[in-house]
Amino acid sequence: MQESEKINDYLEIVRQQIRWKKAHLSVIEEIRNHITDQRDAFIDDGHDEDTATEMAIAEMGDPVIVGEQLDRTHRSRPDWPMLIMTIFLLLLGLSIQFLVGQDIPNGKELFTKQVVWTALAILVLLTAYYLDFTIIGKYPKIIFLGLSILAIGSFLFTQGNALYSIYPVLLFPTAFAGFIYSMRSKGYVGIILCGASLFAPACISRLVPSLTFYFLLCISCLIVLTAAIIKGWFGVNKLYALSIIYIPTFFVWAIPYFTNFELNGDKRLQIVLNPLSEFTGSEFIKTIVKQLLANSQFLGKGLPVNAPVSGYGNYTGLPILPEAHTDFLLTYLIYRFGWIVLIVLLAIFVIFFKYALNICMRQHSVLGFLSSLAITLTITIECILYLSWNFGFMIFTPLSLPLLSYGGRALIVNIFLIGLLLSVYRTGNLFKDNASIAVRKYNRLICFENGKIILNIKD
Amino acid sequence: MVIDKSLLTGSTTLLILKLLNESDMYGYQMIEELSKKSKNVFELKAGTLYPLLHSLEQKDFLTSYEKTMDNSRVRKYYKITKKGQKYLHEKTEEWRTYSSAVNSILGGVSFAGI
């Protein structure tokens, strides 16, 4: 074993030069394989093992120089464009809230609150950035349970405002990526268990009730599961596996549209889900939105609009649009400053999603890929639903316009997701699917052994 | 001794990308192939190769995947990306122009037309 000790000594010196600890495992393993290959080649040439090892090590070059060069290549670099865009959107959100604040009652008070939430959001962003995202693959059941408790708890304790509890559940699609990851090679049973795992979040979305979240959950989880199947994660026939998930999904969504049941259900949902409809009627809001948009200009404030009901509301600048700072921010901005705002915002979000997708595509590990995909989908669907609502397509009550619209809970959840995405960028490619599964068996947070519950707190 | 590092790294990058454009390879294989193809003129040190491979991967010129061998050893294979192929094409053209210019001044044979 003297030979392997020499190799280990060499590798140890190389390792000491690389400051970023996360990079150690994959880099050192590759160098070790190289030395072993070289040694075997020298043995084949007729050298004895000891000489072959020494020659192979000598071939590698000075370990300090090799280590230093690797250190230069492997530095924990943030995704600067993404990080800068996130900070920019946060500040833009604050500026927009300041402007809207001039036009709505309690505007200044709301703005001050949003400043506090933004400061908190920066802390959350940093925390999520330095968080090891692989925990979602290591402890998926605990995370699912924790999220469910958080959502139900927030539902019970936000008396009268059940909609608040949907924000924690926005983390479910990402947790679902971790759950899929834990079902590796479990075959069709694994796929069915993945479907079943969505029962809890689906129930929560019924409890709130939030058709928006139900839709977001279905679409994002369906895409993530499809991606996992296509990557061969379950080790089954891909066509059969896709049929298992798509045929039932099709019926769940399509049957109501072929029966009379759908009409009553939809109307009821409209009333329950749209809080504005209780006092204004959704048709009324739709008319206002359409009028405001029709009278908006390309640049500058829109033309005067006649309120469908005189004397409604008490806003100074935009007297007839309720919830301008939360659900109708985009309609407000378009009317107040012109269509140019929409073009600029769309451009920013398109670039943002392009970078987010880049992060997904760069991932080698299935966990990195699925979790970054889930995060990107959550935020993208949120944006699309918000846009459609602001253009008068009022089926899904919007959750938020990420980082821009008013609301602390939505801001914290979205910034946490973005922080996690940046964390995937930072460390995703150093994570190996194979290694972690082997480690997971011996490194569970909670294990049951000989009738005892063992909490494994040390990572 | 003063060595123009950018020129050195540039040409090594070109050689590696060219090798990977033919087939996916792991590090050791690349050094062997390079030495064989250049008739032992290019003896690339492993200590130079890996930092270079890793930085090319970060620039999205290469991607890598792992393959478990018969002896249960895991090998990291590198594969050229479309971006890498494009870069290789551009740099090859640049190299041809440069070398033909040098040759025409030195009075040697120009390979530009070949």
Side-chain angles (χ1 to χ4, degrees):
Chain A
M1 285 291 106
Q2 208 188 348
E3 290 73 36
S4 70
E5 262 173 38
K6 278 181 190 162
I7 298 177
N8 282 342
D9 288 348
Y10 179 90
L11 292 172
E12 181 53 27
I13 301 174
V14 174
R15 194 185 62 79
Q16 282 168 1
Q17 314 308 314
I18 308 171
R19 280 169 288 181
W20 193 25
K21 285 185 184 159
K22 284 244 170 208
H24 286 174
L25 188 68
S26 65
V27 172
I28 296 299
E29 207 45 44
E30 197 179 14
I31 305 279
R32 183 194 298 279
N33 276 336
H34 185 98
I35 298 177
T36 319
D37 276 336
Q38 184 74 71
R39 182 198 63 191
D40 293 349
F42 284 135
I43 292 175
D44 287 346
D45 287 347
H47 297 280
D48 65 84
E49 203 170 332
D50 202 19
T51 323
T53 308
E54 275 178 17
M55 284 168 75
I57 290 174
E59 277 286 307
M60 282 301 296
D62 187 335
V64 175
I65 295 174
V66 173
E68 278 173 358
Q69 279 179 331
L70 286 165
D71 177 57
R72 233 168 283 149
T73 321
H74 293 277
R75 293 228 173 118
S76 168
R77 289 188 196 88
D79 184 352
W80 284 112
M82 189 82 171
L83 192 61
I84 290 169
M85 256 191 293
T86 307
I87 301 289
F88 172 74
L89 280 171
L90 271 178
L91 296 177
L92 185 68
L94 264 190
S95 323
I96 290 173
Q97 287 306 323
F98 179 76
L99 288 171
V100 185
Q102 316 293 314
D103 283 344
I104 58 172
N106 308 327
K108 277 183 187 159
E109 196 188 314
L110 292 175
F111 174 71
T112 319
K113 272 190 186 171
Q114 195 67 3
V115 172
V116 177
W117 279 115
T118 307
L120 196 63
I122 290 173
L123 285 179
V124 172
L125 177 71
L126 286 174
T127 312
Y129 177 68
Y130 286 108
L131 194 73
D132 179 10
F133 82 94
T134 59
I135 53 166
I136 63 172
K138 284 179 192 157
Y139 315 116
K141 286 169 203 151
I142 294 172
I143 292 176
F144 248 74
L145 192 70
L147 270 181
S148 306
I149 293 171
L150 186 69
I152 294 170
S154 128
F155 174 75
L156 293 175
F157 292 105
T158 48
Q159 295 135 352
N161 210 340
L163 281 173
Y164 284 162
S165 51
I166 54 176
Y167 295 112
V169 290
L170 278 175
L171 302 172
F172 267 113
T174 311
F176 182 65
F179 193 85
I180 296 181
Y181 177 75
S182 70
M183 290 289 132
R184 181 183 199 178
S185 303
K186 296 260 167 82
Y188 295 111
V189 176
I191 297 174
I192 292 165
L193 282 176
C194 282
S197 74
L198 293 175
F199 185 70
C203 283
I204 293 166
S205 71
R206 270 311 277 151
L207 191 71
V208 172
S210 169
L211 184 62
T212 312
F213 173 67
Y214 189 68
F215 177 78
L216 188 143
L217 183 78
C218 281
I219 299 294
S220 56
C221 292
L222 205 58
I223 297 176
V224 174
L225 192 55
T226 307
I229 290 173
I230 291 173
K231 281 202 173 259
W233 190 244
F234 297 97
V236 290
N237 181 305
K238 292 174 187 173
L239 196 66
Y240 292 156
L242 289 174
S243 323
I244 286 182
I245 60 165
Y246 277 93
I247 294 173
T249 312
F250 174 76
F251 284 112
V252 165
W253 283 92
I255 283 175
Y257 288 92
F258 295 114
T259 60
N260 290 330
F261 162 78
E262 163 257 328
L263 285 171
N264 298 332
D266 243 12
K267 272 184 192 160
R268 197 186 62 230
L269 277 173
Q270 276 292 318
I271 295 162
V272 175
L273 299 175
N274 180 3
L276 297 170
S277 66
E278 284 174 31
F279 60 96
T280 58
S282 58
E283 284 305 313
F284 173 80
I285 298 286
K286 207 182 268 187
T287 317
I288 296 176
V289 169
K290 285 193 173 154
Q291 278 198 17
L292 286 173
L293 293 177
N295 287 291
S296 295
Q297 308 210 60
F298 183 71
L299 203 66
K301 195 174 177 178
L303 305 167
V305 174
N306 294 322
V309 178
S310 60
Y312 171 78
N314 52 355
Y315 298 149
T316 50
L318 278 160
I320 53 169
L321 185 67
E323 301 296 324
H325 60 312
T326 55
D327 288 351
F328 289 104
L329 188 66
L330 216 52
T331 315
Y332 166 86
L333 289 173
I334 293 170
Y335 181 74
R336 181 74 180 75
F337 301 103
W339 287 98
I340 183 84
V341 176
L342 177 72
I343 297 169
V344 172
L345 285 182
L346 275 182
I348 295 173
F349 276 112
V350 167
I351 297 170
F352 188 87
F353 292 127
K354 190 188 161 282
Y355 276 101
L357 271 180
N358 272 354
I359 295 181
C360 300
M361 293 307 157
R362 282 173 65 106
Q363 297 309 310
H364 297 163
S365 71
V366 169
L367 183 61
F369 174 70
L370 294 181
S371 35
S372 54
L373 183 67
I375 295 171
T376 309
L377 283 168
T378 308
I379 300 174
T380 313
I381 297 173
E382 244 184 290
C383 270
I384 293 172
L385 294 180
Y386 193 92
L387 274 171
S388 61
W389 178 263
N390 276 249
F391 285 117
F393 180 72
M394 294 177 178
I395 290 181
F396 301 107
T397 320
L399 299 165
S400 81
L401 182 59
L403 311 188
L404 297 183
S405 65
Y406 179 81
R409 287 170 181 81
L411 180 67
I412 296 297
V413 169
N414 283 320
I415 206 80
F416 179 78
L417 286 174
I418 295 170
L420 212 55
L421 184 65
L422 288 166
S423 162
V424 175
Y425 176 89
R426 191 171 65 94
T427 57
N429 279 341
L430 298 171
F431 174 73
K432 288 183 187 170
D433 291 327
N434 299 343
S436 77
I437 282 194
V439 169
R440 201 159 51 91
K441 283 186 182 163
Y442 304 99
N443 204 16
R444 288 199 170 138
L445 188 64
I446 301 172
C447 336
F448 299 94
E449 266 179 37
N450 305 327
K452 291 179 197 161
I453 298 175
I454 299 164
L455 279 177
N456 192 0
I457 301 189
K458 206 176 83 180
D459 195 339
Chain B
M1 187 170 60
V2 183
I3 302 169
D4 184 348
K5 279 192 176 172
S6 67
L7 190 73
L8 206 67
T9 320
S11 59
T12 318
T13 304
L14 198 64
L15 296 174
I16 287 171
L17 288 177
K18 179 71 188 165
L19 275 186
L20 292 175
N21 200 31
E22 285 156 21
S23 67
D24 298 356
M25 285 182 193
Y26 56 96
Y28 179 74
Q29 201 182 357
M30 281 180 227
I31 291 182
E32 289 286 288
E33 278 293 307
L34 212 57
S35 151
K36 205 161 73 186
K37 284 195 171 170
S38 69
K39 297 189 181 72
N40 296 332
V41 173
F42 295 124
E43 292 283 358
L44 188 59
K45 283 269 180 201
T48 319
L49 176 71
Y50 288 102
L52 186 62
L53 284 175
H54 297 170
S55 76
L56 288 175
E57 196 180 2
Q58 282 166 5
K59 286 177 192 159
D60 288 335
F61 290 157
L62 305 179
T63 57
S64 64
Y65 59 92
E66 287 183 344
K67 217 171 173 179
T68 311
M69 310 312 289
D70 295 338
N71 56 6
S72 79
R73 197 187 293 168
V74 178
R75 278 212 168 111
K76 194 174 173 188
Y77 276 80
Y78 290 87
K79 184 185 177 71
I80 192 164
T81 60
K82 281 202 173 129
K83 196 176 168 189
Q85 281 173 331
K86 200 177 154 210
Y87 182 80
L88 171 67
H89 182 74
E90 283 167 13
K91 289 291 152 186
T92 311
E93 286 304 307
E94 232 173 71
W95 178 259
R96 289 212 172 113
T97 317
Y98 174 77
S99 60
S100 79
V102 171
N103 281 331
S104 64
I105 289 172
L106 292 180
V109 185
S110 168
F111 296 97
I114 299 168

